[in-house]
Amino acid sequence: MGLTRQYLRYVASAVFGLIGSQKGNIVFVTLRGEKGRYVAVPACEHVFIWDLRKGEKILILQGLKHEVTFLCPSPDGLHLAVGYEDGSIRIFSLLSGEGNVTFNGHKAAITSLKYDQLGGRLASGSKDTDIIVWDVINESGLYRLKGHKDAVTQALFLRDKNLLVTSGKDTMVKWWDLDTQHCFKTMVGHRTEVWGLVLVSEEKRLITGASDSELRAWDIAYLQEIEDPEEPEPKKVKGSSPGIQDTREAEDGTLEVDEAPEDRILTCRKAGSIMREGRDRVVNLAVDRTGRILACHGTDSVLEVFRILSKEEIQKKIDKKMKKAKKKAKLNSCKEEEEDLEVNVEMTLQDEIQRVTNIKTSAKIKSFDLIHTPQGELKAVFLLQNNLVELYSLNPSMSTPQTVRTNRITIGGHRSDVRTLSFSSDNIAVLSAAADSIKIWNRSTLQCIRTMTCEYALCSFFVPGDRQVVIGTKTGKLQLYDLASGNLLETIDAHDGALWSLSVSPDQCGFVTGGADKSVRFWDFELVKDENSTQKRLSVKQTRTLQLDEEVLCVSYSPNQKLLAVSLLDCTVKIFYVDTLKFFLSLYGHKLPVICMDISYDGALIATGSADRNVKIWGLDFGDCHKSLFAHDDSVMYLKFVPKSHLFFTAGKDHKIKQWDADKFEHIQTLEGHHQEIWCLAVSPSGDYIVSSSHDKSLRLWERTREPLILEEEREMQREAEYEESVAKEDQPVVPGETQGDNYFTGKKTIETVKAAERIMEAIELYREETAKMREHKAICKAAGKEVPLPINPILMAYGSISPSAYVLEIFKGIKSSELEESLLVLPFSYIPDILKLFNEFIQLGSDVELLCRCLFFLLRIHFGQITSNQMLVPVIEKLKETTISKVSQVRDVIGFNLAGLDYLKRECEAKSEVMFFADATSHLEEKKRKKKKREKLILTLT
C-alpha cells in the first residue's frame, strides 16, 4: 500500500499546572519512614505525592484514562488504594510507584474505600449502590453486598468483630454481618442523605453527619455486653429507635422496646446530637488514627475540630461535678440531713465531645486529612477548591489552641482556570495566564520559573525577543510585563469592554487588538525613556482604529500582512485590507458566532471554529467555503494551524483536541486526556509541541513523535476502542439459578476477562488438536513398526517444548487473580469436560493446588446442573473428589507444619529477648483486665 501523505503522531507527554483535582480526597502517606510529611492528592487520572516541607512533587502514580475519585492508604503505609470514575480500583506500591493489582467490579465511580485493621481486606462503595469486599492478598473479590438504594458514602470495618457499617445517600445506615454476608440492621433515624460516619470511643459510639447542622451520636451495645448478667439491659430508649420491630408508647412518652431479631448482634440507640456552626451539609467527617480528634466541614472554608474525652477524663469530670454538686447541696440543706444526702450527676454528650477550635482556610475545602504527631501536635492538611494544598497545625490539649498554617503548595498551579497560553519563539518557555496570575513554565522541566500578578487575562503573546509579554484583560486593558524582573512595566486602557483577541503583525513591529467595544485597534512597539532609570524601556502606542457594527471576538493577520480577518458577534468573519482598512470579503455560513480562527502560513486558507460545533475551511482569494466539518460535540473553543503546513488543531468543550488536514478535509487524530472543557491551546513555532488548558485546572503537554500515522490504522484502532467500551457496557452473564438483578459475584465483564476466556478456549483447542495428533502419530508408528519424530507445535516450543496439558496450566496461571472468576464465567460448557479432566491430572501431580481448587469449585458452582446431569462426567467427578481431598489435606498439613515451625521460632525469639511480641502482650493485658472486671462485679453482687 503506497503512502500518499504521511502524518506524524502526537502523544501525551506530561500533566502540569495542577496541584490537586476536586473529585478525590487528600490523604497523608508514609514514605521513607516519615509520617506527616508526604500527602497523596488526585491529579486527574494520576496521583501526585507531594513533599509538604519542600513543596515538591516527588512521585507520580500513573493512571490510565479515568479520573481518580477516592484514595485510601493501607494500614502498613506501604500501599495506596485508588478508586476511579469507571468503578475500577488499583492498588499502588508506594515504594516502587507501580500498580500491579486491579479490581473491576463496580459499574460507576468509587465513592468510598476502607481497609480493615490488618490491611487484608478492602471494602469499596460506589455510585452503583453496591459494596464489594475484596481480598487484597489473594487479589480477588470476596462478596458483593446489595441493599442501599443510592450511592454509598462511607464504609467502615469494626476492629474486633467481623462487621461492616455503611452509609448512603438513601438516608440509611446499614450494619452487615460479614460471616453471613447479609444486612442485619438498618438505621432509619435520618431524614436526609448521610454523608459520613465514624466510630469512636472504642467502637462503642457511632457519629453520623447528614445534610443538616447536626452530628448525631448513637450508642452501640454488643451481644456479649447485653448478655452479661451483671450489666442491666436498657429497656427504654428516648426518641426514635431505628430498626426496632415491636415498640409501644409508655405513659411517660418514652418508647418501650421489645427485642427484635436484628438486636441479637448489637443494639444502637440515639445518644444525642452535637450542633455544628455550619448550616449546610456535612461534606467530610473523619477522626484521626487515635480516635481522639473528630473533625468535619461543610461547603465553606471552615473545619470544625472536636475532642473526644477518654474514660479517665470523663471519670475525672464526673468526680469534679459530684464534688461541686455535693458542696452546693450541703450549703442548701440542713446539718441533720447531711448523712442522707445523695447527689446524681449526669454527663451530657457535649461534655464527652468538646469543641476544640475552628480552622479557617483561604478557600473552600474540598477534602482534608488528620494526623497526630508523637509530640501531641495535630496536623490537618487540606485540598482546596482553588487548586491549593495547605497544612495547619495545632495543639488540642491546650486550653485555647492556636491554629498555625505551617506549609502551603501554591507555585505548581493557578488558582483559577487558565484562559490563554503562548509559546516563546525558541519553543522553551510557555506562558499561562488566568484570572489572577501569569506563570512562565520551562517546557523541558515543567517547572514554574516566574509568577506575576495580573487582572483577568483573556489573551497573550511573547513580544519578539522573548523578554516581555503582553496580556489582554477582561476589563479592556493591555498589560506589559518584563520577564527578567517580573515587574509590570505599563498598563494601557485599550478598549472599553473585554479585550478578546490579540494578533502580532508578521513584521513583528506591532500588533492588533479586538474588543467588546466594537473596535479593532492597531498598536506599534516603541522605546520610551524609563522614569526610574536612564535606560529606555519597551512601550506601545496606538496608531489606528477600525470601528465596526458588532462586538469583535477574534482578530488574525495574514502572513503577508496584507489582510486582517475579524470575527464578529453577528456570526460572520469580515476580511479587511490592512493598509487602507477597506472591506474585502465577508465569510458567512456559521449559525453561531465564530469564537476562534487562524490563517495558514501561505495565506491561502482560513479556518474558522464556531459555537455551532462546526469548523469551516475557506479560501482567502475569493472567500469561498471549501468544506464544513462537524468537528466537536460542543462549542469549538480554539483553532490553530501547525506552522508551515495545512494541518490544524481544534479544541472543544467536549474535552477533546482534534487534528485535521485542511487540504484533504480529513480527521487525522484525536488527543484525549482532559476531563472537562478545554479553554485554549498553543502550538509551538516548530510544531513539535502543543500545550492545552482545561476547566479541570490541568495543563497538558503533547509532543510530536517520529512515528508515522496511517489513517486506516487509526480508524481501525478507534473501532477497536469503541468495541472494548461496548463490551464493558454489555449485560453481565447470568448464572443458572440466579436472576439478572441478583448477581452477587464481585467481578465485572471487561475486555481483559473476555481476552482471558479466549486464551483458555484457544489453549483447550490446541490441547485437543495436539492429543489427536499424538494418537494418530502413535497409530502410524505402530503400523510402520518404527518411531517417527513428531513435529512440535511452535506455540509449545515458545514455552520451552512443554506438553499441551502443561500449556493449559500455564494459561490458567497467567490469568490475573482478580479476573479469574469472571473469565471462567463466560466459558461455554463445551470446554468444561476437558478442563475438569485436566484439573484431575494437575491436582494428582500436586502443582498449584490452591489455584486449581479455586477454579474447580467455581466451575462446579456455576455449571452444577449440567455437570450432575452428564453421565460421562460422573467418573471424572469421583476421581476429582478423591484427589482433591487428599491433596488439599497434604497442603493443609504443610501449612500447619510451617505455622508450628514459625510458632516455635517465635517462642525461641521471646525466650532470647525475654519480651513478648507487642500484639500478644496487649491482647493478654486486655484479657487480664476483662477477667479482673468480672471478678470485681461478682464480689460486688455477692456483698
Side-chain angles (χ1 to χ4, degrees):
M1 183 181 69
L3 291 177
T4 55
R5 182 75 179 269
Q6 184 172 319
Y7 305 105
L8 295 176
R9 187 183 297 280
Y10 282 82
V11 296
S13 177
V15 178
F16 65 106
L18 180 65
I19 293 170
S21 294
Q22 311 301 308
K23 279 195 176 177
N25 61 313
I26 188 169
V27 290
F28 278 108
V29 291
T30 305
L31 213 61
R32 300 164 187 167
E34 285 195 59
K35 292 182 180 179
R37 179 174 174 179
Y38 303 101
V39 289
V41 293
C44 293
E45 68 271 24
H46 307 306
V47 177
F48 290 166
I49 310 293
W50 290 94
D51 183 341
L52 291 172
R53 198 176 298 168
K54 293 181 179 178
E56 293 176 358
K57 195 191 304 174
I58 59 163
L59 184 64
I60 299 175
L61 307 179
Q62 296 283 345
L64 299 173
K65 184 180 177 183
H66 296 277
E67 209 167 355
V68 174
T69 56
F70 207 87
L71 302 176
C72 180
S74 62
D76 59 8
L78 299 176
H79 298 91
L80 183 71
V82 182
Y84 293 90
E85 204 169 24
D86 65 336
S88 63
I89 301 162
R90 293 179 73 196
I91 297 176
F92 288 89
S93 166
L94 291 173
L95 300 174
S96 63
E98 293 177 0
N100 298 322
V101 182
T102 304
F103 296 132
N104 283 302
H106 291 288
K107 295 176 185 174
I110 302 295
T111 54
S112 172
L113 288 172
K114 197 69 180 178
Y115 279 96
D116 67 354
Q117 191 185 6
L118 298 173
R121 291 179 300 173
L122 178 71
S124 63
S126 167
K127 283 185 180 177
D128 65 4
T129 74
D130 292 350
I131 300 113
I132 300 179
V133 180
W134 306 92
D135 184 343
V136 178
I137 297 160
N138 197 33
E139 298 179 14
S140 63
L142 293 174
Y143 31 80
R144 185 187 295 266
L145 306 173
K146 289 173 174 279
H148 282 287
K149 303 298 180 193
D150 207 336
V152 179
T153 55
Q154 185 64 279
L156 296 173
F157 284 99
L158 272 74
R159 275 201 304 272
D160 303 325
K161 297 168 180 63
N162 198 23
L163 303 176
L164 184 77
V165 57
T166 61
S167 62
K169 286 170 73 175
D170 56 358
T171 75
M172 306 292 185
V173 173
K174 288 181 176 288
W175 292 84
W176 307 83
D177 185 351
L178 298 182
D179 292 325
T180 56
Q181 294 110 49
H182 84 287
C183 174
F184 66 88
K185 190 176 188 64
T186 301
M187 295 165 57
V188 292
H190 301 85
R191 294 282 174 265
T192 55
E193 298 98 332
V194 183
W195 291 100
L197 53 85
V198 291
L199 288 162
V200 296
S201 304
E202 297 174 356
E203 297 185 343
K204 299 281 180 67
R205 179 163 286 160
L206 179 75
I207 296 173
T208 58
S211 293
D212 49 22
S213 56
E214 285 185 47
L215 293 178
R216 292 170 177 81
W218 311 80
D219 283 338
I220 304 163
Y222 298 102
L223 174 70
Q224 294 89 343
E225 295 161 14
I226 295 167
E227 287 184 348
D228 199 332
E230 285 83 15
E231 291 191 21
E233 188 176 345
K235 292 193 177 179
K236 291 185 181 180
V237 182
K238 286 192 181 287
S240 62
S241 187
I244 304 300
Q245 289 183 343
D246 187 12
T247 60
R248 56 182 178 273
E249 195 168 349
E251 292 176 8
D252 60 352
T254 60
L255 289 174
E256 279 191 27
V257 179
D258 290 346
E259 187 184 354
E262 59 263 34
D263 292 330
R264 290 171 191 163
I265 296 176
L266 58 82
T267 59
C268 208
R269 66 179 185 84
K270 191 173 179 182
S273 294
I274 306 159
M275 297 305 294
R276 294 167 47 237
E277 288 183 2
R279 291 284 172 263
D280 47 2
R281 75 173 179 89
V282 171
V283 175
N284 284 308
L285 178 69
V287 290
D288 69 333
R289 293 271 177 93
T290 63
R292 298 288 308 279
I293 300 294
L294 170 72
C296 66
H297 72 89
T299 55
D300 53 8
S301 59
V302 177
L303 181 81
E304 298 180 45
V305 183
F306 301 88
R307 190 160 71 95
I308 298 155
L309 301 186
S310 62
K311 283 182 180 177
E312 292 80 13
E313 288 172 322
I314 291 169
Q315 193 58 48
K316 276 182 186 176
K317 222 169 184 187
I318 289 172
D319 293 344
K320 199 174 180 181
K321 275 195 172 187
M322 285 276 283
K323 199 173 181 182
K324 196 180 279 186
K326 278 183 179 179
K327 197 174 181 182
K328 194 175 180 182
K330 279 179 184 178
L331 292 171
N332 296 334
S333 62
C334 301
K335 288 183 181 179
E336 293 81 16
E337 297 173 0
E338 275 185 23
E339 292 177 8
D340 303 327
L341 195 66
E342 283 187 12
V343 179
N344 290 324
V345 174
E346 289 185 5
M347 289 290 287
T348 61
L349 188 67
Q350 280 70 21
D351 292 330
E352 295 178 30
I353 301 174
Q354 293 182 339
R355 183 181 294 276
V356 177
T357 187
N358 288 352
I359 300 175
K360 178 90 167 95
T361 58
S362 60
K364 285 185 179 179
I365 303 168
K366 278 296 175 184
S367 66
F368 75 97
D369 196 20
L370 303 172
I371 195 167
H372 231 103
T373 61
Q375 293 79 26
E377 192 181 41
L378 179 73
K379 287 185 177 181
V381 67
F382 298 91
L383 176 60
L384 305 182
Q385 192 181 32
N386 61 349
N387 195 27
L388 196 64
V389 169
E390 289 185 344
L391 178 70
Y392 289 81
S393 62
L394 62 101
N395 193 341
S397 58
M398 291 172 65
S399 55
T400 54
Q402 294 295 318
T403 305
V404 181
R405 190 174 73 196
T406 52
N407 292 94
R408 203 173 187 215
I409 300 173
T410 60
I411 295 174
H414 289 275
R415 305 287 75 78
S416 56
D417 294 357
V418 171
R419 302 310 294 257
T420 175
L421 290 163
S422 297
F423 263 102
S424 62
S425 59
D426 57 4
N427 306 294
I428 290 175
V430 178
L431 178 149
S432 64
D436 56 349
S437 63
I438 305 162
K439 287 184 182 286
I440 309 296
W441 307 83
N442 185 318
R443 179 194 49 76
S444 55
T445 63
L446 302 177
Q447 295 296 315
C448 178
I449 53 179
R450 179 75 72 234
T451 301
M452 300 166 282
T453 56
C454 70
E455 293 186 22
Y456 200 118
L458 294 176
C459 47
S460 64
F461 68 86
F462 278 87
V463 174
D466 298 335
R467 293 186 178 182
Q468 295 88 14
V469 292
V470 173
I471 304 293
T473 70
K474 201 173 185 178
T475 55
K477 292 175 182 175
L478 277 174
Q479 293 187 311
L480 183 64
Y481 289 87
D482 179 55
L483 292 184
S485 62
N487 294 331
L488 174 63
L489 296 177
E490 194 174 359
T491 301
I492 301 155
D493 292 323
H495 291 267
D496 293 334
L499 199 161
W500 290 115
S501 182
L502 290 166
S503 180
V504 183
S505 62
D507 63 4
Q508 298 189 343
C509 293
F511 59 95
V512 64
T513 61
D517 58 355
K518 304 179 184 178
S519 67
V520 174
R521 298 174 192 265
F522 295 81
W523 307 80
D524 282 346
F525 295 116
E526 64 172 356
L527 290 172
V528 297
K529 192 176 180 182
D530 194 355
E531 296 172 2
N532 301 325
S533 68
T534 56
Q535 294 180 345
K536 289 187 176 183
R537 65 167 178 83
L538 187 75
S539 181
V540 295
K541 67 173 180 180
Q542 186 182 338
T543 56
R544 293 182 294 170
T545 302
L546 172 64
Q547 202 63 38
L548 296 160
D549 298 330
E550 292 286 342
E551 188 175 328
V552 178
L553 297 179
C554 190
V555 291
S556 183
Y557 268 116
S558 65
N560 58 11
Q561 207 171 331
K562 286 184 178 178
L563 300 174
L564 177 71
V566 182
S567 162
L568 302 176
L569 199 60
D570 62 1
C571 309
T572 64
V573 176
K574 288 186 166 42
I575 313 293
F576 296 91
Y577 290 106
V578 173
D579 50 0
T580 60
L581 298 184
K582 283 184 179 178
F583 174 74
F584 172 50
L585 290 171
S586 180
L587 312 178
Y588 54 90
H590 283 289
K591 295 180 179 66
L592 289 170
V594 173
I595 299 170
C596 52
M597 63 182 176
D598 196 20
I599 298 173
S600 62
Y601 75 103
D602 55 4
L605 301 172
I606 179 171
T608 57
S610 167
D612 62 7
R613 303 178 289 178
N614 290 311
V615 167
K616 291 184 187 289
I617 300 164
W618 316 76
L620 258 184
D621 43 6
F622 302 108
D624 56 323
C625 180
H626 291 183
K627 189 73 174 177
S628 182
L629 304 165
F630 183 75
H632 291 269
D633 296 329
D634 209 333
S635 301
V636 182
M637 296 303 295
Y638 218 83
L639 186 150
K640 203 75 180 168
F641 272 98
V642 176
K644 297 177 183 175
S645 76
H646 280 186
L647 308 179
F648 65 92
F649 283 95
T650 58
K653 280 189 175 179
D654 60 352
H655 317 168
K656 293 175 184 174
I657 299 169
K658 294 185 179 182
Q659 189 184 16
W660 307 84
D661 187 339
D663 291 331
K664 293 190 171 185
F665 317 122
E666 283 187 312
H667 172 219
I668 300 168
Q669 72 173 125
T670 302
L671 305 177
E672 293 188 47
H674 284 293
H675 299 283
Q676 294 194 41
E677 301 95 327
I678 299 170
W679 296 127
C680 59
L681 61 83
V683 181
S684 68
S686 65
D688 288 337
Y689 302 98
I690 303 167
V691 173
S692 56
S693 78
S694 167
H695 186 48
D696 61 16
K697 299 281 196 304
S698 70
L699 300 175
R700 288 178 186 261
L701 180 68
W702 313 83
E703 190 174 350
R704 184 162 62 188
T705 62
R706 301 297 103 191
E707 180 192 349
L709 187 147
I710 299 163
L711 294 180
E712 288 77 9
E713 288 182 5
E714 193 69 14
R715 304 289 176 270
E716 185 63 34
M717 286 166 66
Q718 283 179 1
R719 283 193 290 272
E720 283 179 12
E722 286 170 9
Y723 168 70
E724 289 181 9
E725 281 184 16
S726 67
V727 164
K729 290 174 184 174
E730 283 176 8
D731 292 334
Q732 300 297 308
V734 180
V735 179
E738 289 190 2
T739 59
Q740 181 67 38
D742 295 334
N743 180 16
Y744 288 91
F745 290 115
T746 56
K748 177 177 83 168
K749 186 179 178 182
T750 61
I751 192 67
E752 285 80 15
T753 59
V754 172
K755 285 177 180 175
E758 285 173 357
R759 286 202 301 274
I760 294 170
M761 289 189 278
E762 285 169 6
I764 298 296
E765 292 286 353
L766 187 140
Y767 167 75
R768 287 172 179 171
E769 288 172 13
E770 290 298 313
T771 47
K773 278 183 190 176
M774 287 169 79
R775 280 197 298 270
E776 288 174 14
H777 180 70
K778 281 181 182 177
I780 291 166
C781 290
K782 196 174 181 182
K786 60 178 182 179
E787 285 290 328
V788 181
L790 179 70
I792 301 171
N793 190 299
I795 297 172
L796 300 178
M797 197 180 289
Y799 276 81
S801 301
I802 58 175
S803 65
S805 57
Y807 173 68
V808 175
L809 180 60
E810 287 296 319
I811 293 297
F812 272 100
K813 285 159 71 175
I815 298 169
K816 283 186 179 178
S817 181
S818 56
E819 296 167 2
L820 188 61
E821 277 87 358
E822 202 62 32
S823 304
L824 294 171
L825 193 59
V826 296
L827 278 179
F829 182 74
S830 57
Y831 293 93
I832 303 304
D834 288 319
I835 291 174
L836 293 178
K837 287 170 188 172
L838 286 167
F839 279 2
N840 191 27
E841 289 179 28
F842 300 149
I843 293 171
Q844 278 180 345
L845 295 171
S847 57
D848 298 287
V849 175
E850 287 180 49
L851 171 69
L852 294 169
C853 285
R854 183 179 159 194
C855 296
L856 173 64
F857 298 151
F858 185 78
L859 289 172
L860 290 174
R861 181 181 166 192
I862 61 174
H863 296 292
F864 179 77
Q866 287 173 291
I867 289 170
T868 50
S869 60
N870 191 333
Q871 292 297 318
M872 302 288 288
L873 290 175
V874 171
V876 178
I877 297 296
E878 286 292 332
K879 284 180 185 175
L880 274 169
K881 182 181 171 184
E882 293 171 15
T883 53
T884 305
I885 290 169
S886 63
K887 290 296 176 182
V888 169
S889 299
Q890 285 179 19
V891 171
R892 193 171 54 200
D893 291 344
V894 170
I895 293 169
F897 181 81
N898 290 341
L899 284 171
L902 289 169
D903 199 36
Y904 171 74
L905 290 171
K906 177 181 162 183
R907 287 198 303 273
E908 286 289 310
C909 290
E910 283 177 0
K912 283 181 182 177
S913 60
E914 296 181 354
V915 176
M916 292 182 75
F917 278 102
F918 180 69
D920 283 356
T922 50
S923 62
H924 279 225
L925 187 66
E926 283 172 8
E927 189 65 33
K928 279 182 183 176
K929 279 185 181 177
R930 208 177 290 121
K931 284 180 181 176
K932 189 180 177 183
K933 203 174 180 182
K934 281 196 175 183
R935 201 161 49 245
E936 285 172 356
K937 282 182 182 177
L938 194 65
I939 292 162
L940 284 168
T941 50
L942 289 169
T943 53

